[in-house]
Amino acid sequence: VNLNNIISHFKNFKFSTDQILNYVKKNSSIFKYTDSSREDGVLLGMTYQREEEVVAWHRHFKQTDFWICLKGSVKVGLGYPVKMGNSNEVNVKFEYLSDKNFRVLEIPSTIWHGYKALESGTILMYYVTKKYDPEDEMRAPVGSFGEVWETKNK
């Protein structure tokens, strides 16, 4: 999946892609956009995050997520379950998304994920492949996997 494919899904929404992106980029208040009019239940949304706020952990068993950072930057935590017997161990790796390195991050089903906004006013757009189903989601508190969310100054 590439950015153009995901953004093309905006054509199925009530507003044009340019209207939505321009509004979100200019809006200075906390903003979350979700279109519930899609019959297939597939969700395209955006969220506005404050700096240093960690939103983690959850995973899905059927749904795949696609994330793009439209403004600012985020540290994304990805928790890969270790498949050894009955182990509940998770290996955590971090990725970075920003408006300066524009790319789509695919988060496959079964992978724990969360993020931390690194700049005030960060806007994260997400696209999910399945209609929301609470039975498909599992949550764990921040720190569950021994991860460190701090970022080093460079």
Side-chain angles (χ1 to χ4, degrees), residues 59-63 130-131 133-138:
R59 69 176 176 170
H60 311 277
F61 297 99
K62 299 175 188 170
Q63 169 182 307
K130 300 282 184 195
K131 182 176 182 176
D133 176 2
E135 299 295 319
D136 182 47
E137 186 173 74
M138 180 180 252

Side-chain angles (χ1 to χ4, degrees), residues 51-154:
E51 185 176 5
E52 300 297 315
E53 183 177 31
V54 176
V55 180
W57 290 98
H58 76 278
R59 69 176 176 170
H60 311 277
F61 297 99
K62 299 175 188 170
Q63 169 182 307
T64 297
D65 290 14
F66 296 90
W67 291 3
I68 305 163
C69 184
L70 296 178
K71 180 182 175 191
S73 58
V74 291
K75 180 178 184 176
V76 179
L78 301 169
Y80 297 89
V82 175
K83 306 213 187 299
M84 294 171 46
N86 292 332
S87 172
N88 289 329
E89 187 178 341
V90 172
N91 287 334
V92 175
K93 295 182 181 175
F94 291 102
E95 298 255 356
Y96 293 86
L97 298 176
S98 81
D99 56 6
K100 307 207 179 17
N101 182 17
F102 213 63
R103 67 186 180 103
V104 176
L105 177 64
E106 179 178 355
I107 305 170
S109 60
T110 73
I111 305 302
W112 290 96
H113 51 285
Y115 63 92
K116 174 184 179 180
L118 300 177
E119 300 175 48
S120 186
T122 292
I123 297 173
L124 182 67
M125 182 173 83
Y126 53 92
Y127 171 77
V128 297
T129 59
K130 300 282 184 195
K131 182 176 182 176
Y132 176 73
D133 176 2
E135 299 295 319
D136 182 47
E137 186 173 74
M138 180 180 252
R139 294 192 173 271
V142 173
S144 292
F145 311 124
E147 76 279 2
V148 177
W149 287 95
E150 272 72 42
T151 53
K152 296 178 183 175
N153 290 334
K154 293 185 179 184

